[in-house]
Amino acid sequence: MRIIHTSDWHLGQHFYGKSRAPEHQQFLNWLIEQSKSQQIDAIIVAGDIFDTGTPPSYAREMYFDFIAKLHQTQCQLVVLAGNHDSVAMLTESQKILQQLSTRVISAVSNNMAEQVFVLNSLKTEQQAVICAIPFIRPRDIVKSYAGQSANEKQRSLQQAITEHYQVLFEQAQGLSQLNQADGNRLPIIATGHLTTIGASTSESVRDIYIGTLEAFPASEFPAADYIALGHIHRPQKVTKSEHIRYSGSPIALSFDEANTQKSIVIAEFNNGELSSTELCNLPCFQPLAMVKTHLETLAEDIASVVESKSITLKNEDSNIAESLSTESSSVEAKITHDERPTQEKIWLDIEIESAEYLQDLSVRIEQIVKALPVEVLLVRRSKKSRQQMPSHEKKVTLSELSVQEVFDARMALEPWDSDEQQQRKTRLNSLYLTIAEQTQRANSSKQSLSEHSEANSSSTSKTEQK
């Protein structure tokens, strides 16, 4: 059996005022072609299908359209909810999507059969047992008691997550043995959407405070044949293990991911065990670049980064073209090559090492990039420069700070020495994340309503013209 492991699509994301819809559509088209050309039996999406719990209408349409098209290829889909996803929204379409070869696991369930099941290939006679674990919310698996210290809550939660994995894994082991037809057990594929200790994160990864547990020890995972993880946006092995992996996001979701090669994982199983894993690199659908510079070398550094990025993109196109020449009859390869637009402007984040606040900086940058194939999305002084300024001279604009940085600065003013203060810190962090999520949902709803209104206006206008 051959599966694709992917995660963290974040459909509906808006990036400094820019929609990611074109990139996401190109990725989904590419993924369908890969499922056909690579003879994939199933795709596992390990959480964060959407960027918010109330994604815009075009993102939901993109999701359902992908499922319908994938169903036609006889490739199955297993969707796990992440911390960005709405349990209610994913749950409402569960039953109808089952008719389209798609299983959606939106939350921890009391019905074990919803999380542990045998996946039968629609193309071959191959089978695998899926131990499907979505993002775990504390209330799903553990009860807290008055008087517990922060350390006690952390140990209790870690133990509860470990036990949840172990209980489902034991059920999976039973199915693995019961369904054997040729003397070999069925391979067991587990999932998860969480941070493991030692994982390399990026700016776009929202910290998951599962109660007081910020990271889960990889040693506590059960002995599954493959563990498909989501939440971390950089592709990586966990504890250098071939069978425990983060696939990473399909597109760069923050500027510090600009130079990260995005990929999916193709895992193959033979004779009841993992036989190989392969990273399949994605094309760059929208180039991003960071320019770290000083005022004195601003123009030179911008030109250098843009030139370097342009060369990288040309080399990528050349590599794709070369592969096409060796497989000239491959229609799928041609479609894949055509997915990336060749004239996309590079989105820039310019970070300047300067303690001075320059009001004319934006005008100066506009003149520098006027003839370059770029669009500047963000201009800011480096965090180090801002911190080095004397407190009585500090001039920091809100545009230079993230909401998280404002919250962290306020939290840094409080003492957090005692267990009681640590518990208060945990509660405040949790409340902040809840409010931030609600605010993001409200903004997404406004965006969705605006797009719906524009679509209706356009439709009305066309009707009147007729």
Side-chain angles (χ1 to χ4, degrees):
M1 175 171 276
R2 289 169 61 80
I3 67 126
I4 282 177
H5 164 207
T6 177
S7 72
D8 297 275
W9 294 357
H10 289 267
L11 301 179
Q13 189 205 39
H14 278 261
F15 189 71
Y16 299 103
K18 293 290 184 181
S19 171
R20 313 304 296 275
E23 298 165 76
H24 277 131
Q25 188 59 67
Q26 291 164 61
F27 160 67
L28 294 176
N29 293 345
W30 177 89
L31 188 58
I32 288 175
E33 295 305 327
Q34 290 300 311
S35 73
K36 292 191 287 188
S37 63
Q38 298 278 359
Q39 292 296 305
I40 299 300
D41 297 291
I43 296 175
I44 295 176
V45 190
D48 283 354
I49 310 300
F50 297 103
D51 193 54
T52 71
T54 54
S57 56
Y58 75 81
R60 293 194 294 270
E61 182 179 351
M62 203 177 287
Y63 169 65
F64 291 122
D65 183 61
F66 169 78
I67 290 173
K69 289 179 178 177
L70 187 68
H71 172 66
Q72 295 173 1
T73 70
Q74 292 190 307
C75 179
Q76 298 190 74
L77 181 65
V78 179
V79 174
L80 289 306
N83 59 303
H84 283 249
D85 296 311
S86 163
V87 172
M89 201 211 80
L90 289 181
T91 301
E92 66 186 11
S93 58
Q94 269 180 329
K95 290 184 177 179
I96 192 167
L97 292 183
Q98 282 184 0
Q99 307 305 313
L100 296 174
S101 312
T102 298
R103 282 184 181 258
V104 178
I105 297 87
S106 56
V108 171
S109 174
N110 292 325
N111 182 1
M112 201 174 295
E114 291 184 5
Q115 287 189 252
V116 182
F117 51 87
V118 175
L119 190 70
N120 297 292
S121 172
L122 300 177
K123 299 175 181 176
T124 68
E125 295 181 357
Q126 297 297 317
Q127 296 175 305
V129 179
I130 307 296
C131 191
I133 300 175
F135 170 61
I136 298 174
R137 290 169 171 79
R139 63 178 179 271
D140 295 334
I141 59 169
V142 71
K143 292 181 180 179
S144 59
Y145 300 95
Q148 279 185 310
S149 68
N151 286 336
E152 286 173 336
K153 287 184 177 180
Q154 181 172 343
R155 286 195 299 269
S156 175
L157 183 56
Q158 180 179 312
Q159 183 179 353
I161 294 174
T162 301
E163 289 176 354
H164 181 69
Y165 266 97
Q166 193 57 43
V167 167
L168 295 185
F169 180 67
E170 288 174 2
Q171 175 71 9
Q173 284 181 306
L175 288 178
S176 173
Q177 299 295 337
L178 284 173
N179 285 269
Q180 60 183 351
D182 54 1
N184 294 313
R185 67 175 184 83
L186 302 183
I188 299 174
I189 303 170
T191 69
H193 190 89
L194 72 178
T195 304
T196 55
I197 293 175
S200 174
T201 63
S202 59
E203 288 179 359
S204 59
V205 174
R206 183 183 303 165
D207 288 335
I208 297 182
Y209 291 89
I210 309 176
T212 55
L213 187 67
E214 296 181 22
F216 185 71
S219 59
E220 298 298 311
F221 284 123
D225 295 284
Y226 185 80
I227 302 178
L229 298 176
H231 181 57
I232 305 300
H233 297 168
R234 288 193 172 100
Q236 57 196 278
K237 301 175 188 176
V238 176
T239 63
K240 299 181 180 179
S241 301
E242 285 290 336
H243 74 292
I244 309 176
R245 288 177 176 265
Y246 287 101
S247 65
S249 59
I251 64 173
L253 296 167
S254 62
F255 277 108
D256 67 335
E257 297 175 29
N259 294 324
T260 299
Q261 174 61 62
K262 296 299 182 177
S263 59
I264 57 174
V265 183
I266 298 177
E268 186 165 359
F269 302 85
N270 287 304
N271 300 320
E273 60 184 23
L274 179 67
S275 58
S276 68
T277 56
E278 174 192 352
L279 290 184
C280 182
N281 291 340
L282 276 83
C284 175
F285 301 116
Q286 169 61 60
L288 277 67
M290 286 185 73
V291 181
K292 295 190 176 184
T293 182
H294 296 79
L295 289 172
E296 299 78 15
T297 59
L298 182 61
E300 294 87 345
D301 290 340
I302 290 175
S304 175
V305 168
V306 171
E307 182 182 7
S308 175
K309 194 70 175 181
S310 298
I311 291 172
T312 300
L313 294 172
K314 286 179 181 177
N315 288 339
E316 180 183 305
D317 281 345
S318 297
N319 291 337
I320 295 175
E322 185 176 340
S323 67
L324 283 174
S325 66
T326 58
E327 301 176 17
S328 57
S329 62
S330 173
V331 176
E332 290 84 358
K334 177 66 169 63
I335 294 172
T336 300
H337 179 245
D338 288 346
E339 287 300 342
R340 184 162 74 77
T342 55
Q343 301 300 320
E344 281 292 348
K345 287 187 175 182
I346 301 169
W347 289 349
L348 284 189
D349 168 17
I350 301 175
E351 184 181 278
I352 300 173
E353 293 288 344
S354 172
E356 301 176 37
Y357 178 67
L358 301 177
Q359 293 182 336
D360 64 339
L361 186 58
S362 295
V363 176
R364 182 178 171 187
I365 290 174
E366 280 181 20
Q367 292 299 316
I368 292 172
V369 303
K370 200 171 185 180
L372 297 175
V374 302
E375 187 170 356
V376 179
L377 302 193
L378 189 60
V379 178
R380 57 199 166 106
R381 289 173 296 175
S382 70
K383 189 175 182 180
K384 181 181 177 182
S385 296
R386 298 196 309 266
Q387 290 174 337
Q388 287 178 342
M389 291 177 64
S391 57
H392 65 279
E393 294 180 6
K394 280 190 177 179
K395 292 182 180 179
V396 180
T397 63
L398 280 177
S399 63
E400 294 181 294
L401 299 173
S402 67
V403 177
Q404 183 73 53
E405 285 177 323
V406 175
F407 177 75
D408 289 343
R410 178 63 185 87
M411 293 286 279
L413 300 177
E414 299 292 325
W416 307 111
D417 302 323
S418 67
D419 280 344
E420 184 178 350
Q421 288 169 335
Q422 283 292 327
Q423 290 176 24
R424 178 169 175 260
K425 182 180 181 181
T426 299
R427 289 196 301 273
L428 287 171
N429 274 319
S430 179
L431 285 170
Y432 162 73
L433 290 173
T434 300
I435 293 169
E437 175 73 17
Q438 290 173 346
T439 303
Q440 193 170 17
R441 289 182 182 181
N443 289 339
S444 293
S445 295
K446 288 179 182 178
Q447 179 69 29
S448 183
L449 286 171
S450 174
E451 290 169 354
H452 184 67
S453 176
E454 288 177 7
N456 285 342
S457 297
S458 175
S459 177
T460 302
S461 175
K462 288 178 181 178
T463 302
E464 290 173 351
Q465 288 174 3
K466 289 180 181 179

